[in-house]
């Protein structure tokens, strides 16, 4: 084995062999976890694709998302939006809530916004993205100060291109189309 700067040489090359049983043991444990959990079987977890239990606020949020997604997209070549990201543990470093808590918080914030709440103040207080959370997007190639839509989470652009200026909408968490969590979006331009 080659020496390299900073390497501490072992006085006896056989010491390396002492690590082999430990490495094999760790590897076997990792294989069991990859195969579904501890030796007793997989740990039951909520299916990440299935909706969490709901209440009236969450049901209303889901209905809004379904209605908005049925709308046709407008033909604008560029949009500017402000968004409030509600994420959960494992999606962005700052998020500590569960997926269900994130959806419930999104529903609560959606209710406040729908009732005329101050969107900018809510973004400042609750977003898991950087404030002010404003993005310009183009439906084609990048232009100065705007991202191509295809470089954003697909659901983010889908919602932005269904909103009128001044209108709000929500992109639901989806592992493929909105992988960071829920986006409450306001179209600014």
């Amino acid at each position: 084995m080659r020496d390299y700067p900073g390497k501490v040489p072992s006085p006896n090359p056989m010491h390396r062999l002492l690590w082999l049983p430990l490495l094999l043991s760790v590897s076997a444990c990792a294989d069991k976890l990859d195969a579904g959990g501890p030796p007793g079987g997989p740990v039951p977890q909520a299916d990440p694709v299935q909706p969490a239990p709901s209440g009236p606020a969450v049901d209303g949020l889901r209905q809004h998302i379904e209605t908005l997604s049925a709308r046709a997209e407008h033909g604008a070549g560029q949009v500017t939006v402000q968004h409030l990201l509600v994420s959960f543990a494992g999606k962005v470093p700052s998020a500590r809530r569960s997926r269900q808590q994130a959806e419930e918080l999104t529903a609560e914030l959606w209710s406040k916004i729908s009732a005329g709440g101050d969107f900018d103040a809510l973004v400042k207080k609750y977003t898991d993205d950087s404030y002010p959370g404003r993005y310009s997007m183009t439906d084609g190639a990048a232009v100065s100060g705007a991202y191509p839509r295809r470089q954003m989470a697909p659901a983010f652009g889908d919602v932005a291109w269904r909103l009128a200026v001044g209108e709000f909408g929500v992109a639901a968490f989806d592992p493929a189309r909105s992988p960071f969590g829920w986006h409450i979006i306001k179209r600014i331009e």
Side-chain angles (χ1 to χ4, degrees), residues 49 65 69 73 85 91 149-162 170-183 185:
V49 178
I65 292 166
S69 67
E73 292 189 4
L85 172 63
K91 298 299 172 185
R149 175 182 177 176
R150 68 183 175 278
Q151 289 183 357
M152 306 297 275
F156 190 82
D158 293 348
V159 169
W161 261 270
R162 285 179 168 85
V170 178
F173 166 73
D174 178 87
R177 300 195 54 76
S178 184
F180 303 107
W182 285 260
H183 299 268
I185 300 168

Side-chain angles (χ1 to χ4, degrees), residues 3 8 13 29-30 39 47-48 65 102 106 115 124 135 141 146 148 159 175:
D3 285 339
V8 178
C29 289
D47 183 343
I65 292 166
T106 304
K124 193 172 203 174
Y135 296 94
V159 169

Side-chain angles (χ1 to χ4, degrees), residues 129-170:
D129 192 7
S130 58
Y131 176 81
R134 292 178 189 236
Y135 296 94
S136 290
M137 297 177 284
T138 64
D139 206 19
V143 296
S144 180
Y147 297 94
R149 175 182 177 176
R150 68 183 175 278
Q151 289 183 357
M152 306 297 275
F156 190 82
D158 293 348
V159 169
W161 261 270
R162 285 179 168 85
L163 297 176
V165 173
E167 190 177 20
F168 297 92
V170 178

Side-chain angles (χ1 to χ4, degrees), residues 25-112:
S25 173
V26 169
S27 176
C29 289
D31 289 344
K32 287 179 185 172
L33 289 174
D34 288 343
V43 175
Q45 295 181 357
D47 183 343
V49 178
Q50 293 298 315
S54 66
V58 172
D59 289 342
L61 173 68
R62 290 178 184 165
Q63 180 61 47
H64 159 74
I65 292 166
E66 187 176 316
T67 301
L68 183 62
S69 67
R71 264 196 218 173
E73 292 189 4
H74 55 71
Q78 184 170 333
V79 298
T80 300
V81 298
Q82 181 178 20
H83 85 122
L84 189 166
L85 172 63
V86 181
S87 193
F88 54 97
K91 298 299 172 185
V92 297
S94 63
R96 301 285 180 252
R97 64 186 73 85
S98 70
R99 178 182 168 190
Q100 182 176 345
Q101 290 169 328
E103 186 176 26
E104 290 168 350
L105 176 58
T106 304
E108 177 186 326
L109 295 170
W110 177 248
S111 294
K112 288 179 181 182

